[in-house]
Amino acid sequence: MKILVLNCGSSSLKYQLINMIDECVLAKGLCERIGIEKSRLEHSPTGKDKCIVEEPMNDHTDAVRLVLNALTDAAQGVIQSLDELSAVGHRVVHGGEFFSDSVFITDEVKKAIEACCDLAPLHNPANLIGIHACERLMPGKPQVAVFDTAFHQTMPERAYLYAIPYKMYEKHKIRRYGFHGTSHKYVSVLAAEMLGKSYNEAKIITCHLGNGASVCAIDHGKSVDTSMGFTPLEGLAMGTRSGDIDPAVIAFLMQKEGISAKDVENLLNKKSGVLGLSDVSSDFRDIESAAKNGNQRAQTALDAYHYRVAKYIGAYTAAMGGADAIVFTAGLGENSASTRAEVCSYLSYLGITIDAEKNNCRGKKVDITTSDSKIRVFTIPTNEELVIARDCKALLG
Ligand code: ADP
């Protein structure tokens, strides 16, 4: 069984073709600059040379067509024909309150995804375009939607409701949804295995620290709270996103700077976070190296970042009445030993002790605590594409 996993952004498309017999990646790649000039496809077939295709892509249908051509190409391809594909799995960012699990895509499902476009205006329309493109190019091929929000649909009301008039929730569905669900689920399942505990009995806190970042509390196999909310702007400070701020700042900025609500939204999403604090970069490698070279603002940005991650871990330990394990994942969580060490330096009150030597690792599944640590701390590489492919396989039966 071979599954094609697609992740469509507004002007990009990432893909992986996964052989579900051994869960190996047969090929992966990226289409960039869809709909603008100089669009290109970078195709990496496993065991063969990477190739770049520079061809105009007017829309996502063009992009999907080029990807399918690359996958079946006589030289750079990895399958003979599209008949070998059992299904296409689409990452869909927002499933609102409609979806608490992955589903086969039907007309009704597409309508529900469309109804969530207001909640994720940058992502859901692009996801729908990708779905339509596949329907056009591979009619009848089973297609599955896997939602970033689905895993968090188990949050209780007390966690997902904002303390604003309840009718705003009823009327506009303003509530906390949470994101990165596939990643939190994937690493928490592995963490339970590493603990030697049943997933349905463990209390796990997962920290997905990439460009976007969120923390999740998983109690007895269910997401009970997570730091992102109505949109992926809430919660931790991130590469360019502010995370939590006093909502009064928005009106204050509009008045004092004479800017629109849209401008403030842009400032909080694109110019804030560690980029805004440091004025160096949104990339943590740049900020860590600037801080090492004595840039005080870069150091302040890192300090603020670590402090907030630690605060959420503390909050979620309280929410669950303890924790068995804390997991670090995604670009920064998997690769930055100093981030893990700095965050955990706040957590000795929980009886957590980090083994500096074990923590000196990158991109590996490792328990980084000493044997007497009261809570285990793991680094676990995430694999969102594999979760999507596994969900397709499960649905296909
Ligand atoms: P996304 O998928 O959200 O775009 P990633 O999970 O790829 O993001 O994470 C990207 C972030 O991880 C970047 O800020 C990058 O600097 C950081 N990162 C990757 N490798 C390292 C490393 N070795 N040290 C510190 N930060 C790293």
Side-chain angles (χ1 to χ4, degrees):
M1 181 187 285
K2 289 165 191 157
I3 309 274
L4 177 62
V5 177
L6 292 187
N7 180 355
C8 290
S10 50
S11 67
S12 71
L13 184 165
K14 286 187 209 150
Y15 63 94
Q16 276 193 17
L17 179 65
I18 302 178
N19 187 347
M20 295 312 287
I21 291 173
D22 51 7
E23 297 193 333
C24 277
V25 176
L26 297 170
K28 61 181 173 181
L30 167 69
C31 298
E32 289 175 296
R33 305 179 62 87
I34 300 168
I36 41 184
E37 84 286 3
K38 294 193 188 149
S39 39
R40 70 201 282 275
L41 158 69
E42 192 176 307
H43 174 68
S44 306
T46 305
K48 297 183 183 180
D49 289 340
K50 187 197 278 195
C51 67
I52 310 273
V53 181
E54 281 173 343
E55 259 188 51
M57 296 178 221
N58 292 322
D59 52 29
H60 284 72
T61 308
D62 282 351
V64 175
R65 189 181 293 116
L66 283 179
V67 169
L68 299 180
N69 287 346
L71 291 173
T72 50
D73 183 77
Q76 302 299 332
V78 289
I79 50 174
Q80 307 260 311
S81 93
L82 297 178
D83 294 340
E84 287 179 50
L85 295 184
S86 300
V88 183
H90 295 264
R91 176 193 180 205
V92 181
V93 166
H94 220 305
E97 290 186 321
F98 296 108
F99 303 104
S100 53
D101 227 326
S102 304
V103 288
F104 279 120
I105 295 172
T106 61
D107 286 346
E108 227 168 59
V109 168
K110 281 189 282 180
K111 268 189 210 138
I113 297 174
E114 194 157 6
C116 296
C117 281
D118 262 0
L119 302 176
L122 296 179
H123 297 99
N124 271 34
N127 300 152
L128 270 174
I129 294 172
I131 291 167
H132 287 137
C134 288
E135 284 178 340
R136 217 165 300 146
L137 296 167
M138 292 176 283
K141 184 75 71 194
Q143 297 202 63
V144 170
V146 179
F147 301 92
D148 266 33
T149 48
F151 182 58
H152 304 298
Q153 278 296 300
T154 47
M155 280 195 285
E157 266 188 328
R158 62 169 188 258
Y160 74 67
L161 284 179
Y162 290 114
I164 58 173
Y166 192 77
K167 63 171 181 280
M168 293 298 139
Y169 163 58
E170 292 178 309
K171 197 170 162 194
H172 301 295
K173 292 286 165 223
I174 299 175
R175 50 158 284 178
R176 310 183 60 255
Y177 291 97
F179 298 87
H180 294 137
T182 47
S183 175
H184 289 299
K185 180 176 165 188
Y186 178 77
V187 298
S188 57
V189 167
L190 287 177
E193 269 176 40
M194 288 169 82
L195 283 168
K197 251 190 157 170
S198 149
Y199 189 51
N200 296 330
E201 283 169 10
K203 294 176 180 186
I204 300 168
I205 297 171
T206 48
C207 308
H208 177 109
L209 310 180
N211 273 322
S214 65
V215 184
C216 182
I218 298 137
D219 196 359
H220 292 78
K222 290 193 171 124
S223 166
V224 292
D225 209 342
T226 189
S227 59
M228 283 179 167
F230 181 59
T231 74
L233 181 55
E234 191 181 346
L236 301 174
M238 306 177 213
T240 61
R241 289 174 235 170
S242 65
D244 301 330
I245 60 159
D246 181 343
V249 170
I250 296 165
F252 186 88
L253 272 176
M254 287 169 70
Q255 282 161 14
K256 293 285 174 190
E257 293 281 311
I259 56 179
S260 67
K262 200 95 215 114
D263 292 336
V264 179
E265 195 183 314
N266 196 44
L267 180 141
L268 296 178
N269 268 301
K270 307 227 170 101
K271 298 182 183 157
S272 300
V274 288
L275 167 70
L277 281 175
S278 69
D279 253 338
V280 171
S281 165
S282 64
D283 192 300
F284 281 86
R285 283 164 291 203
D286 300 340
I287 302 175
E288 283 180 3
S289 105
K292 250 187 221 135
N293 292 327
N295 182 324
Q296 192 47 50
R297 287 259 303 281
Q299 188 56 53
T300 304
L302 291 176
D303 292 346
Y305 183 85
H306 301 144
Y307 176 67
R308 281 153 191 246
V309 180
K311 275 211 300 189
Y312 266 102
I313 293 172
Y316 289 168
T317 312
M320 295 195 290
D324 299 308
I326 294 165
V327 181
F328 287 94
T329 193
L332 193 62
E334 290 166 27
N335 294 304
S336 171
S338 63
T339 297
R340 296 186 296 253
E342 292 296 336
V343 170
C344 290
S345 70
Y346 288 97
L347 305 176
S348 53
Y349 79 100
L350 290 171
I352 291 177
T353 41
I354 298 299
D355 181 323
E357 212 167 290
K358 288 187 194 158
N359 185 36
N360 192 14
C361 63
R362 287 183 55 182
K364 279 199 239 147
K365 213 166 86 176
V366 181
D367 178 344
I368 58 169
T369 38
T370 57
S371 57
D372 60 348
S373 179
K374 295 231 167 57
I375 297 177
R376 314 252 49 98
V377 181
F378 303 135
T379 75
I380 303 179
T382 195
N383 193 339
E384 289 163 287
E385 290 78 12
L386 185 56
V387 177
I388 295 174
R390 282 181 181 167
D391 279 9
C392 291
K393 185 180 171 188
L395 278 171
L396 288 168

